[in-house]
């Protein structure tokens, strides 16, 4: 045998036994998102690398360290998308969708980041995301968060909502200055990562999970107390919208979105079922992004949800993946029976009834075993005799009970 080739580290196969859960995740997303007026967009997995440098940020870990970048035969510098928002915004601008007024779009698909693989963190992972363009008013924030809350509820998943505001260009700069000064004053107590981020991206320091940093961060100045009146009013309105919708949340003043164009609303859903990588979805308002990518000033807010993590939660909650099983399994006794089985199976399938047969034929006992292995509800034995008389027996594989059935009435009877 030739040497076998394994898949790429950090990139997973999704086998048929697991796929049903993913299909459910996606079907429920489509259903719930449609109720809120979100429409699907599909953009390429490959984009110009520059899109992410500008749209995610040159200084972010994602772009600096984790992006898969390659030259397309010495011409353009391309990248595998590390997230879905930049490509969605690019398409929104490129196709002039902004002329039609506010738009709600969603996407789903694979994303790529060259991170250190661990539980809940992969190099190819999948996201489902929503983006609402063109509305600056806070009720859209509340509505989008409620959509996600609804989505989890439909799947029977419990996730905690954390909410925060990151201010905007009028209140954040002064706060950042104070934050930097505070962090610098306690430099020695902070981890190397925090020390490195302190100057460039002080908000991200608040997000640090290292144990020894926690006492310092707990005492850090809080933006919530220094918001400009507009940001304060926006935050209040988002909260009252969530209250009106009956969505429960906690305010987490250390929840941040790292990039400059994020303003005001930031939110995250977490689950205890996930361990250290506890975030299942994260979102925020990005009013500057469309403009940064060459479009007209357009407010926006979006989230992305990690499908691998959601699958882990569903699995842990013992939520069975609803896989479709055959209703009838045809067992053939001889060559005539095998031919009849082929025809009858086609007839049932045309009628929308799932069924199976063992194309290898062989011993009937083995075929019955196969019927049980695939989880069929009934077995139907066909041979020369059944073909000649047009009569057969439908055997309930759970109760072993046999019911006579005329082949001509098979579809109606099985139904
Ligand atoms: P982000 O795009 O970083 O805001 O992430 C949004 C969500 O995507 C997170 O809450 C995770 O559920 C998921 N996610 C992000 N990065 C990864 C990864 N490397 N592997 C698996 N899931 C991820």
């Amino acid at each position: 045998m030739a040497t076998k080739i394994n898949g790429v580290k950090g990139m997973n196969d999704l086998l048929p036994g697991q796929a049903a859960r993913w299909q459910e995740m996606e079907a429920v997303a489509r259903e719930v998102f449609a109720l809120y007026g979100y429409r699907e967009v599909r953009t390429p997995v490959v984009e110009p690398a520059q899109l992410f440098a500008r749209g995610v940020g040159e200084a972010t870990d994602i772009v600096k360290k984790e992006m898969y970048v390659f030259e397309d035969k010495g011409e353009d510098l391309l990248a595998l998308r590390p997230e879905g928002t930049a490509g969605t915004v690019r398409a929104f601008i490129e196709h002039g969708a902004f002329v039609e007024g506010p738009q709600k779009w969603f996407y789903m698909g694979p994303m790529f980041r060259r991170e250190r693989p661990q539980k809940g963190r992969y190099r190819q992972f999948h996201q489902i995301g929503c983006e609402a363009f063109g509305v600056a008013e806070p009720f859209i924030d509340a509505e989008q968060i409620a959509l996600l809350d609804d989505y989890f509820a439909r799947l029977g998943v419990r996730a905690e909502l954390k909410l925060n505001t990151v201010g905007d260009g009028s209140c954040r700069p002064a706060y950042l200055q104070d934050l930097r000064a505070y962090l610098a004053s306690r430099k020695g107590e902070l981890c190397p990562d925090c020390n490195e981020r302190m100057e460039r991206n002080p908000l991200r320091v608040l997000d640090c999970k290292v144990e020894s940093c926690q006492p310092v961060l707990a005492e850090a100045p809080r933006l919530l107390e220094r918001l400009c009146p507009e940001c304060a009013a926006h935050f209040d309105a988002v909260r009252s919208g969530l209250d009106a919708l009956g969505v429960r949340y906690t305010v987490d003043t250390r929840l941040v979105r790292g990039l400059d164009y994020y303003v005001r609303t930031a939110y995250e859903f977490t689950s205890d079922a996930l361990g250290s990588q506890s975030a299942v979805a994260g979102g925020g308002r990005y009013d500057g992004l469309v403009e940064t990518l060459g479009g007209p000033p357009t407010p926006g807010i979006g989230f992305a949800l990690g499908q691998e993590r959601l699958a882990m939660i569903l699995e842990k909650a013992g939520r069975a993946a609803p896989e479709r099983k055959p209703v009838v399994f045809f067992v053939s006794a001889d060559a005539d029976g095998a031919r009849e089985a082929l025809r009858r199976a086609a007839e049932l399938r045309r009628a929308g009834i799932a069924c199976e047969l063992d194309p290898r034929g062989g011993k009937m006992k083995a075929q019955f075993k196969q019927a049980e292995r695939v989880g069929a509800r009934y077995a139907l034995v066909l041979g020369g005799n059944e073909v000649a008389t047009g009569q057969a027996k439908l055997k309930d594989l759970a109760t072993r009970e046999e019911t006579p059935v005329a082949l001509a009435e098979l579809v109606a009877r099985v139904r």
Side-chain angles (χ1 to χ4, degrees), residues 158-287:
R158 270 202 45 203
E160 319 274 331
L161 168 59
K162 291 180 181 152
L163 182 71
N164 194 21
T165 172
V166 293
D168 69 3
S170 67
C171 52
R172 192 163 50 205
Y175 167 73
L176 289 183
Q177 221 167 20
D178 290 355
L179 180 62
R180 274 196 193 95
Y182 168 81
L183 295 173
S185 76
R186 302 193 58 176
K187 220 171 147 74
E189 297 162 73
L190 292 167
C191 73
D193 266 355
C194 285
N195 270 286
E196 201 216 326
R197 285 190 181 132
M198 191 179 290
E199 226 3 79
R200 186 166 42 81
N201 205 343
L203 273 187
R204 278 299 303 279
V205 174
L206 293 178
D207 201 27
C208 179
K209 302 287 187 291
V210 173
E211 197 60 48
S212 56
C213 297
Q214 302 313 307
V216 181
L217 302 180
E219 289 165 29
R222 288 155 32 129
L223 176 57
L224 200 57
E225 283 135 23
R226 299 151 188 241
L227 292 174
C228 60
E230 292 76 17
C231 284
H234 190 96
F235 193 52
D236 286 345
V238 174
R239 296 183 62 169
S240 81
L242 289 175
D243 291 340
L245 291 163
V247 177
R248 294 176 52 185
Y249 62 89
T250 51
V251 172
D252 178 350
T253 56
R254 284 171 50 192
L255 174 69
V256 299
R257 303 250 95 201
L259 313 175
D260 282 352
Y261 55 73
Y262 275 106
V263 294
R264 298 184 176 163
T265 311
Y267 62 99
E268 199 169 85
F269 281 83
T270 60
S271 164
D272 292 340
L274 289 176
S276 64
Q277 306 296 331
S278 68
V280 60
R285 179 166 274 284
Y286 50 72
D287 291 351

Side-chain angles (χ1 to χ4, degrees), residues 62 82-84 107 113 115 118 120-127 257 262 268-269 274 277-283 303-310:
I62 293 182
E83 54 93 59
Y107 60 82
R113 294 182 198 170
E115 302 194 77
Q118 51 183 296
R121 197 170 278 292
Y122 310 103
R123 290 182 170 177
Q124 175 178 302
F125 59 99
H126 296 75
Q127 288 184 332
R257 303 250 95 201
Y262 275 106
E268 199 169 85
F269 281 83
L274 289 176
Q277 306 296 331
S278 68
V280 60
F303 70 77
L305 167 153
Q307 288 187 261
E308 280 79 2
R309 294 194 193 168
L310 182 54

Side-chain angles (χ1 to χ4, degrees), residues 37-100:
Y38 283 79
R39 294 148 70 221
E40 184 170 5
V41 60
R42 300 190 192 195
T43 61
V45 167
V46 173
E47 297 275 3
Q50 207 209 344
L51 175 70
F52 303 110
R54 242 205 280 166
V56 178
E58 205 95 58
T60 57
D61 283 354
I62 293 182
V63 170
K64 257 190 1 193
K65 303 183 197 157
E66 299 167 0
M67 209 154 66
Y68 286 94
V69 179
F70 61 97
E71 246 176 55
D72 184 11
K73 301 251 188 260
E75 288 175 21
D76 304 311
L77 204 55
L78 305 180
L80 297 184
R81 63 181 183 192
E83 54 93 59
T85 302
T88 301
V89 170
R90 179 201 49 72
F92 177 80
I93 298 167
E94 190 168 334
H95 301 285
F98 46 83
V99 301
E100 293 163 34

Side-chain angles (χ1 to χ4, degrees), residues 355-383:
C355 57
E356 264 306 341
L357 47 85
D358 191 339
R360 297 169 303 180
K363 291 212 172 71
M364 282 171 58
K365 197 171 161 207
Q367 294 183 52
F368 270 105
K369 232 190 185 146
Q370 179 72 355
E372 276 174 18
R373 200 182 63 83
V374 300
R377 175 113 183 259
Y378 301 105
L380 190 90
V381 177
L382 291 176

